[in-house]
Amino acid sequence: MTDQSKLVLSDVKEGAELPPITMPITLHRLVMEAGANRDFSFIHHDKDVAKSTGAPDVYANTFFLMGLFERQLREWIGVAGKIKKIGPMQMMTFNCVGDVLQLTGKVVGVAEDGTISIEQVIESERGVTTKAQAKVQLS
Amino acid sequence: MTESGWGKWGSWEETESLVGKQIGVSRGGDAIELGAIRRWLEPKQMDCALHYDRSAAKAAGYRDVIAPATMAFTAGLAPYWSPGDPPAKSGDPGKQIDLPVIFSVPAPCNLSFATSVEIEFFEPMYVGDRITCTSILASLFRKTLKVGDGAFLRQEDTYTNQNDVVVAVANLDIFRFVAPEGAGT
């Protein structure tokens, strides 16, 4: 986001779409993520353990998914905006190694005080894997 | 039913006795630092000057670089090992993330999965802030699902900085359960 967003509240309309993000999930990325976010649950880096719990493979954790949603919000609102809330975030199925995640988002409400309600979705070859609601604020 | 598996074993009466009560406090292992933020941004490929450029952060109205908001989850995690702790022995299981709603709350359940998480932000986290996470068992709702008999438990986490200012509040919903007899789990 070196090229900072200049989004202003008056430009935001219900139905507007946030810039999409594509994120390939690799074991390398998940190991890097675990080291950074300090969630060392085996299901997020050990294939045998992940499979023993019913998952097809090692899968991304909550912190990573939350972080991706935050990234999409921030890239849209720019440095002047404020992120007020993310969630409820619901995980419908796994985001596994080998999957390519597609994040999309759209505006579902604009309040007079500048609070913007957003719905965000992660999809992959498995269909819709994760959904979240969010609130951001522009002055 | 079996006590082996995932989570602290106990009765539903024990679980219910903890509703509304504090079930855990964890003090972040480190103050928030630029290097930790950089490593957090890296796998997500997140580029926002608020998180690495002091002048950009100040121009946006902050007194210093701020951490990404959802980094609160990480900033409030206690160390996995500290000086004075015993050394690991061969065969010790690796330490995993300590979720009080699973590992400190007794329940007649040996399996669990997260169903929902939300986090609301109140104040920015600055470089140098030391974050503490205080968890309470906010609610318990008994339910039988296809996967088994159990309950939805909500862990409410309040993240505060070194000045006891609330920076974020998160709710984590977990379904803890025991699989039906013969389910092979």
Side-chain angles (χ1 to χ4, degrees):
Chain A
M1 209 174 63
T2 306
D3 180 19
Q4 305 292 3
S5 168
K6 301 292 185 190
L7 188 70
V8 293
L9 183 61
S10 58
D11 291 340
V12 177
K13 307 293 182 207
E14 199 170 313
E17 294 185 357
L18 277 63
I21 291 174
T22 299
M23 178 60 67
I25 301 298
T26 62
L27 184 59
H28 176 268
R29 188 181 307 284
L30 294 188
V31 169
M32 192 188 294
E33 174 66 26
N37 75 31
R38 310 283 298 158
D39 175 359
F40 296 110
S41 299
F42 299 124
I43 49 180
H44 302 309
H45 63 266
D46 186 319
K47 187 172 189 168
D48 291 340
V49 174
K51 283 192 161 187
S52 74
T53 66
D57 205 328
V58 169
Y59 56 97
N61 74 347
T62 303
F63 297 172
F64 182 67
L65 300 173
M66 275 279 182
L68 288 182
F69 283 131
E70 178 174 359
R71 175 188 153 186
Q72 186 179 43
L73 296 171
R74 181 58 75 187
E75 288 181 354
W76 183 61
I77 61 177
V79 297
K82 306 232 186 283
I83 298 171
K84 307 300 288 183
K85 183 177 181 182
I86 301 178
M89 179 181 87
Q90 294 169 312
M91 294 154 280
M92 272 79 80
T93 188
F94 304 102
N95 296 287
C96 289
V97 167
D99 293 353
V100 178
L101 310 189
Q102 306 287 345
L103 275 77
T104 56
K106 69 176 180 182
V107 174
V108 294
V110 183
E112 287 185 2
D113 68 352
T115 301
I116 302 166
S117 298
I118 294 161
E119 286 182 356
Q120 294 172 283
V121 173
I122 297 177
E123 293 178 86
S124 74
E125 299 87 333
R126 303 175 199 282
V128 173
T129 66
T130 315
K131 289 182 179 176
Q133 299 169 36
K135 289 189 187 300
V136 298
Q137 201 161 40
L138 291 173
S139 51
Chain B
M1 283 191 189
T2 171
E3 298 182 24
S4 66
W6 186 253
K8 185 174 183 180
W9 186 267
S11 67
W12 285 123
E13 289 73 24
E14 290 175 284
T15 322
E16 286 162 3
S17 73
L18 290 174
V19 174
K21 294 185 178 163
Q22 183 175 304
I23 54 174
V25 177
S26 102
R27 187 163 189 244
D30 302 288
I32 292 172
E33 54 196 23
L34 287 171
I37 294 174
R38 190 195 63 73
R39 288 187 292 275
W40 191 95
L41 298 170
E42 198 170 43
K44 303 170 195 75
Q45 299 176 343
M46 180 172 172
D47 176 3
C48 173
L50 295 176
H51 307 317
Y52 58 80
D53 183 333
R54 183 161 289 146
S55 60
K58 286 186 172 180
Y62 300 97
R63 60 176 162 77
D64 203 342
V65 166
I66 60 169
T70 58
M71 194 176 160
F73 294 118
T74 296
L77 288 177
Y80 285 82
W81 181 89
S82 297
D85 287 351
K89 298 189 297 290
S90 176
D92 279 355
K95 285 187 179 175
Q96 302 191 64
I97 192 167
D98 183 21
L99 292 174
V101 72
I102 296 174
F103 298 110
S104 299
V105 173
C109 307
N110 56 9
L111 295 167
S112 62
F113 57 84
T115 60
S116 174
V117 60
E118 63 182 6
I119 182 165
E120 189 167 3
F121 310 105
F122 298 97
E123 292 292 334
M125 295 182 299
Y126 286 95
V127 168
D129 280 355
R130 189 83 183 264
I131 304 300
T132 295
C133 176
T134 304
S135 304
I136 65 166
L137 180 62
S139 63
L140 164 70
F141 177 59
R142 294 279 305 278
K143 184 81 173 173
T144 299
L145 301 179
K146 274 197 291 191
V147 293
D149 180 44
F152 288 98
L153 292 91
R154 169 167 285 195
Q155 173 180 306
E156 182 185 285
D157 295 325
T158 300
Y159 294 88
T160 52
N161 65 17
Q162 66 283 359
N163 299 318
D164 291 328
V165 173
V166 175
V167 297
V169 175
N171 286 306
L172 172 65
D173 293 326
I174 296 275
F175 187 67
R176 289 184 61 185
F177 63 101
V178 62
E181 295 286 338
T185 54

